[in-house]
Amino acid sequence: MAFINEHYLKLAAGYLFPEIARRVTVFSKEHPELAPEIIRCGIGDVTEPLPTSAVRAMHAATEELATRATFKGYGPGTGYDSVRAAIAQGDFRSRGLDVADDEVFLSDGSKGDCGNILEILGAGNRVAVTDPVYPAYVDANVMFGNTGAALAGGGYDGILYLPCTEANGFLADVPSAGTPAPDVIYLCSPNNPTGTVMDRARATAWVEYARKHRAIIFWDAAYESYNRSDAPKSVYEIPGARECAVEFRSFSKSGGFTGVRCGYTVLPKSVMAYTRAGEPVALHPLWTRRWNTRSNGVSYAVQRGAEALYTPEGQKEVRALVDFYMENARILREGCTRLGWKTWGGEHAPYVWCKVPDGSDSWAFFDRLLRKARVVTTPGAGFGRCGEGYFRISAFNSRANVEEVVRRLGAL
Ligand code: MLT
């Protein structure tokens, strides 16, 4: 008899984005004449073509594979040395941050990494997440057995939810004294879904908190390229973070790689976790071992494409791509503000977070926007209890569509 992982049975509803897609499909079937008018600002999926330097590098890599002299078979599970070096230099050392080449681990994207990393910690860690939160962190922890059952009002037993509300500017504060300290803390800045950026003082408080409690911060910086503020772009800007933080990065939103698939994790050699007997153990060798056992790494051509984003030409193209979506975000943010809607984010992030203007619940408002404006957004409730009453608009779309969204919202 084969047994299942019963933790999967705890998963409450379908994953947020498939549920959105399901509702859009239902509407499209009911109104096929309106389906072509639907504009999708729900899932944050890029729309613009890849940077030319990445395309050229992937072509060239494919040609190398077509010739016996330059053919490549299995690559290193953790990534090619030259790619790890380009990343460590381009994203960290060039900004004065101490990250060694072999502390960078290539992957097919940070969505997988932020769940896979749990494997080297094992089940039983108490996990803290912000509320609202990117749902993949929570679901991965449920599947892994780090939570109890789904709770009636939303969320899961055993997770420490850090409320992010208008009162704290949708930025998580460290738990108050007396709250049992979590072992693992997920933080995301620029934030998905609220688009807010964690200031240096809060990030410093989190690093100090993690070090005091021997906890680990999982810092998701997938949207780092949108952060043009003085707030930290990397957790390693904060003194002490190399002792307690793992950082996830992605080329999805900087290089338009959502379909190509490439990201990376930074795991400094100085990050420790503990045996049940209290012995410190470095995570770096465990993560290296995990990759070498579980994977043969990211495909060669894709790694070459990612590496090309660090050339001077690639950097210019990434900047232009991010500028394009930032301008979309500005148009959306200002459009919503003109309508008198309360908004956050959209300034150093590709997401605009809005308060539902008519006081209805966020799925009801989602349905109204879909049916009346043919615009797909993401209901805040899908990100957690504190997301109820809000919705997210993604700036990943064509300029024409973004302008049309603003026009339709105005005509609601
Ligand atoms: C989102 O819409 O939140 C993201 O696109 C999801 C993801 O990156 O997996």
Side-chain angles (χ1 to χ4, degrees):
M1 182 165 65
F3 299 99
I4 61 153
N5 174 355
E6 293 190 31
H7 299 303
Y8 274 67
L9 304 182
K10 294 178 198 161
L11 289 166
Y15 189 64
L16 172 62
F17 297 107
E19 173 57 19
I20 290 174
R22 190 192 68 74
R23 290 185 187 222
V24 174
T25 305
V26 169
F27 174 73
S28 304
K29 284 201 177 128
E30 283 169 13
H31 301 282
E33 74 290 0
L34 296 178
E37 289 180 25
I38 294 172
I39 301 178
R40 289 173 169 77
C41 295
I43 192 164
D45 193 3
V46 293
T47 54
E48 302 309 298
L50 292 173
T52 309
S53 47
V55 174
R56 287 212 180 106
M58 287 193 277
H59 274 304
T62 312
E63 291 302 331
E64 281 181 61
L65 299 179
T67 306
R68 188 177 300 278
T70 49
F71 175 78
K72 302 251 175 328
Y74 289 130
T78 49
Y80 281 95
D81 287 348
S82 67
V83 186
R84 298 173 96 185
I87 292 169
Q89 177 60 31
D91 284 346
F92 300 97
R93 292 199 295 267
S94 64
R95 299 177 185 178
L97 304 177
D98 172 23
V99 169
D101 297 356
D102 65 353
E103 292 176 330
V104 171
F105 295 78
L106 271 292
S107 73
D108 72 340
S110 51
K111 184 182 195 174
D113 282 350
C114 65
N116 290 337
I117 191 94
L118 298 171
E119 203 180 309
I120 59 169
L121 296 178
N125 283 290
R126 181 169 151 81
V127 174
V129 297
T130 60
D131 180 4
V133 67
Y134 175 43
Y137 311 149
V138 173
D139 283 12
N141 275 281
V142 175
M143 292 167 175
F144 202 72
N146 276 341
T147 74
L151 298 169
Y156 290 88
D157 199 20
I159 290 188
L160 175 63
Y161 289 93
L162 307 163
C164 294
T165 62
E166 292 187 36
N168 59 14
F170 292 103
L171 291 168
D173 289 306
V174 297
S176 49
T179 306
D183 308 303
V184 167
I185 303 143
Y186 282 87
L187 297 173
C188 176
S189 181
N191 188 262
N192 180 11
T194 63
T196 51
V197 179
M198 186 169 283
D199 53 280
R200 199 165 296 272
R202 271 197 180 82
T204 303
W206 273 113
V207 167
E208 285 169 3
Y209 179 89
R211 292 187 72 192
K212 177 169 169 207
H213 295 283
R214 298 195 292 178
I216 292 182
I217 294 174
F218 288 156
W219 180 271
D220 184 350
Y223 300 94
E224 171 275 339
S225 53
Y226 293 79
N227 177 8
R228 305 228 172 124
S229 73
D230 292 336
K233 299 182 198 343
S234 164
V235 71
Y236 304 117
E237 290 178 35
I238 309 298
R242 278 189 57 88
E243 269 57 68
C244 65
V246 176
E247 183 160 312
F248 303 114
R249 292 275 188 111
S250 165
F251 298 108
S252 287
K253 313 293 162 55
S254 56
F257 271 36
T258 56
V260 176
R261 305 308 306 151
C262 195
Y264 66 90
T265 295
V266 178
L267 208 170
K269 297 188 188 84
S270 37
V271 175
M272 301 282 160
Y274 298 84
T275 64
R276 297 282 161 188
E279 287 298 317
V281 176
L283 290 182
H284 185 276
L286 305 189
W287 191 230
T288 306
R289 178 61 193 265
R290 187 259 171 210
W291 274 102
N292 288 332
T293 301
R294 295 280 219 155
S295 171
N296 287 307
V298 179
S299 83
Y300 177 65
V302 166
Q303 289 195 53
R304 285 279 176 246
E307 187 179 21
L309 299 177
Y310 291 91
T311 59
E313 201 47 40
Q315 289 286 284
K316 255 192 252 157
E317 289 166 349
V318 165
R319 175 97 192 176
L321 192 57
V322 172
D323 282 351
F324 175 82
Y325 293 123
M326 295 267 274
E327 176 62 6
N328 281 355
R330 185 192 66 75
I331 293 168
L332 289 167
R333 188 182 75 243
E334 291 184 3
C336 293
T337 307
R338 272 199 303 278
L339 294 173
W341 297 0
K342 272 185 113 171
T343 65
W344 293 262
E347 227 177 329
H348 298 289
Y351 297 125
V352 179
W353 183 247
C354 294
K355 189 161 192 158
V356 172
D358 62 6
S360 59
D361 77 64
S362 58
W363 275 109
F365 192 67
F366 167 89
D367 286 329
R368 185 170 158 221
L369 284 183
L370 174 61
R371 284 165 189 279
K372 291 253 159 47
R374 281 94 57 218
V375 172
V376 182
T377 54
T378 313
F383 297 107
R385 279 172 290 193
C386 292
E388 183 52 277
Y390 300 86
F391 65 101
R392 190 191 80 174
I393 313 181
S394 161
F396 293 112
N397 222 310
S398 66
R399 182 63 43 76
N401 275 354
V402 162
E403 286 168 351
E404 178 63 9
V405 165
V406 170
R407 199 191 62 70
R408 289 190 201 169
L409 294 181
L412 256 188

